Amino acid sequence: MVEVTVEETVSCPPDAFLALVMEPRRYAEVDRKLGRIDWVRRDGDVTEFRFRSALPGLGPGPKVVSRMTLTPGRRVDVRLPDRPENRLARRVSTFEASFECEPVDGGIRVRRRIAFGFPAPLRWLVEPVLRRKLRADVEAEVRGAKRLLER
């Protein structure tokens, strides 16, 4: 499994950061892992969207549906739900991610976590690439969100 956690202080309220995350088309401006988005559906605190995934160093992956669940003022959890569109992705990988916001002086501390796992023999091919590339990609993503919200 490859897991990356990045923390950054952002000068905004938690709801502003989490609202950005819950808008996939807008968040795609800072997250290169989100390729072309086909559709977005929001129902209360749950957003689902279909997009072409793109992992750093590996290029485009399959189209998947991602489900984000908001805990207002605190966090967003991201998973690939059990849907027909995710059959291939769920067969060849595991995925989970989250965004946590904690109030601090001058704003919030954002903790962005993302984890991927792969079965053998994909593990030996994919995980070394992600170990080299994923941290820098997630750091750039969080810095980009910070710039977007602090302007």
Side-chain angles (χ1 to χ4, degrees), residues 120-141:
L122 280 177
R123 177 181 317 128
W124 301 302
L125 297 170
V126 173
E127 288 188 7
V129 174
L130 285 180
R131 280 193 186 91
R132 286 192 312 271
K133 303 278 188 176
L134 187 59
R135 175 165 297 281
D137 182 87
V138 175
E139 288 171 348
E141 167 194 336

Side-chain angles (χ1 to χ4, degrees), residues 2-3 8 11 14 17 28 31-32 34 42-43 51-52 88 100 106 109 123 127-128 130 133 145 148-150:
V2 178
E3 181 177 343
E8 181 73 53
S11 297
F17 189 90
D31 187 353
R32 292 175 289 188
L34 299 178
R42 183 155 186 184
D43 183 11
F51 70 103
R52 167 116 20 229
L88 174 62
E100 292 180 68
R109 179 177 303 116
R123 177 181 317 128
E127 288 188 7
L130 285 180
K133 303 278 188 176
L148 194 62
L149 288 165
E150 290 183 349

Side-chain angles (χ1 to χ4, degrees), residues 1 53 55 62 64 80 86-96 115-119 122 126-127 130:
M1 177 171 275
S53 62
L55 295 178
V64 294
L80 296 182
N86 293 339
R87 191 172 305 134
L88 174 62
R90 290 172 57 95
R91 188 170 293 154
V92 300
S93 66
T94 60
F95 166 78
E96 58 184 53
F116 294 95
F118 301 88
L122 280 177
V126 173
E127 288 188 7
L130 285 180

Side-chain angles (χ1 to χ4, degrees), residues 36-47:
R36 183 175 176 269
I37 296 173
D38 295 331
W39 52 260
V40 176
R41 297 184 185 124
R42 183 155 186 184
D43 183 11
D45 292 338
V46 176
T47 297

Side-chain angles (χ1 to χ4, degrees), residues 44-118:
D45 292 338
V46 176
T47 297
E48 288 192 345
F49 64 104
R50 183 173 182 226
F51 70 103
R52 167 116 20 229
S53 62
L55 295 178
L58 299 171
K63 287 191 175 189
V64 294
V65 174
S66 182
R67 177 179 295 148
M68 300 187 294
T69 305
L70 172 68
T71 302
R74 300 207 36 198
R75 64 184 292 134
V76 170
D77 292 291
V78 187
R79 304 279 185 271
L80 296 182
D82 187 15
R83 293 177 55 121
E85 299 98 318
N86 293 339
R87 191 172 305 134
L88 174 62
R90 290 172 57 95
R91 188 170 293 154
V92 300
S93 66
T94 60
F95 166 78
E96 58 184 53
S98 62
F99 300 82
E100 292 180 68
C101 295
E102 176 184 346
V104 296
D105 287 341
I108 57 171
R109 179 177 303 116
V110 173
R111 183 175 297 115
R112 166 69 158 129
R113 179 184 171 276
I114 189 165
F116 294 95
F118 301 88

Side-chain angles (χ1 to χ4, degrees), residues 9-40:
T9 301
V10 181
S11 297
C12 73
D15 290 331
F17 189 90
L18 297 172
L20 172 63
V21 171
M22 293 295 285
E23 295 179 28
R25 287 194 170 94
R26 188 163 177 231
Y27 198 77
E29 296 174 28
V30 298
D31 187 353
R32 292 175 289 188
K33 294 175 294 304
L34 299 178
R36 183 175 176 269
I37 296 173
D38 295 331
W39 52 260
V40 176

